[in-house]
Amino acid sequence: MYRRAALLAAGTLFAAAAPGFAQADDPQVNAQYRVFAHGFHVADASASYKLTPWGYGITTHLVAGGLLSILISMDVTSHAEGRFENGWVAPMNFGSGGYSRGKTRHVEVTYQNGAPVVTQLTPPENDRLPVPDDEKRNAIDTLSAMALLLNTIEQTGHCDGASRIFDGLRLTSMTVHGPIDAKVPEGSGEVFLGKSLRCDFVGQQIAGFIKDSSHLAEMKAPRKGSAWFQSMPGLGLVAVRIEFDHPKIGHMIAVLSRIPQKM
């Protein structure tokens, strides 16, 4: 369960960290984050990304860190590519793979006529209810959803929107509102403080549940969260902090640990 929550936090931050619009010849940008749960450092995350007016590409890497590295092994890499079309995103592919929950796992998703299609899932997760095709039609992946958020902010000045997110296993309904002017909270080793723009979101899993789960009511409950953005020279808006509540782990926080580097 730690892996799922940490991966969601990292995935959200990675895409949110991307600069609003890079020029075609701009290098990729690398950002580093630290993820905390209940005040303990549980994971380290990095992302290489690039956004252009016409598309995006993001690769992320998440490893167990701090307390979590003592308890379990986790090393997961994810990627997404897609295009911007008429104020929306058209994902091309999404994938995630590595060692987690005691096994090497891999999922790949491609998009056919706007619908996500799982082309690889190893090992099979037969204890989980499959997401019906009609429910995941027009769904996008987590990284594409956050690329959409940054594109919306840059184009309209707000982050209001809604989407369905499919990660190859689970389907989540996500709504986002804002931004509002807010100061970055302190208490998790934040490097970047002061004024920011805050976007608030609510995520709710709606399909892809474990069969006969005793935690079904908890997994179906809506979960609130927030992301704080600051403008950085040459990068545009960057997410410096994100937090949300996970049904099993509780409150989670991820913070940007240094100024993102162009590579």
Side-chain angles (χ1 to χ4, degrees):
M1 64 180 179
Y2 276 106
R3 179 259 177 185
R4 293 176 186 169
L7 183 57
L8 176 59
T12 303
L13 269 167
F14 290 147
F21 284 113
Q23 297 299 316
D25 57 352
D26 277 357
Q28 287 192 332
V29 175
N30 183 269
Q32 307 286 330
Y33 291 87
R34 289 163 61 87
V35 183
F36 297 85
H38 300 288
F40 294 100
H41 173 212
V42 297
D44 293 305
S46 65
S48 295
Y49 52 79
K50 183 176 182 179
L51 296 188
T52 72
W54 51 88
Y56 57 92
I58 307 167
T59 299
T60 69
H61 185 211
L62 177 69
V63 296
L67 177 64
L68 188 60
S69 65
I70 300 174
L71 302 175
I72 67 171
S73 295
M74 177 180 63
D75 191 329
V76 179
T77 299
S78 303
H79 67 86
E81 293 180 310
R83 302 182 304 275
F84 294 119
E85 294 182 352
N86 301 318
W88 196 251
V89 287
M92 298 167 58
N93 58 71
F94 167 77
S96 183
Y99 190 84
S100 67
R101 290 181 285 153
K103 295 181 179 180
T104 298
R105 303 176 183 275
H106 191 188
V107 60
E108 290 289 336
V109 178
T110 59
Y111 294 81
Q112 300 177 8
N113 298 320
V117 177
V118 178
T119 58
Q120 182 176 356
L121 179 60
T122 54
E125 299 210 13
N126 297 320
D127 62 339
R128 187 180 297 275
L129 294 169
V131 178
D133 289 342
D134 60 336
E135 291 189 27
K136 64 185 179 184
R137 187 174 294 115
N138 296 321
I140 59 180
D141 61 86
T142 304
L143 300 182
S144 294
M146 295 308 297
L148 173 62
L149 171 60
L150 260 296
N151 186 48
T152 300
I153 295 176
E154 291 287 347
Q155 291 293 309
T156 68
H158 65 74
C159 48
D160 297 313
S163 60
R164 287 193 170 193
I165 299 172
F166 178 64
D167 64 359
L169 294 172
R170 295 165 290 270
L171 184 66
T172 299
S173 173
M174 183 73 70
T175 58
V176 188
H177 300 286
I180 63 172
D181 294 327
K183 288 187 177 181
V184 179
E186 301 182 40
S188 297
E190 286 80 7
V191 177
F192 303 93
L193 296 170
K195 296 180 179 179
S196 71
L197 295 176
R198 192 188 79 202
C199 293
D200 300 318
F201 58 87
V202 178
Q204 184 173 17
Q205 185 177 344
I206 55 178
F209 297 100
I210 297 293
K211 298 176 182 177
D212 302 318
S213 172
S214 60
H215 303 286
L216 187 59
E218 295 174 280
M219 299 307 296
K220 286 185 175 181
R223 302 290 164 180
K224 296 181 179 180
S226 299
W228 287 259
F229 297 89
Q230 290 183 341
S231 181
M232 297 187 182
L235 297 174
L237 290 175
V238 175
V240 298
R241 175 187 171 103
I242 188 168
E243 60 180 68
F244 66 96
D245 291 322
H246 186 269
K248 293 184 178 179
I249 299 177
H251 200 63
M252 299 195 69
I253 299 172
V255 297
L256 183 68
S257 60
R258 66 186 72 170
I259 296 176
Q261 300 295 309
K262 290 186 176 182
M263 302 177 64

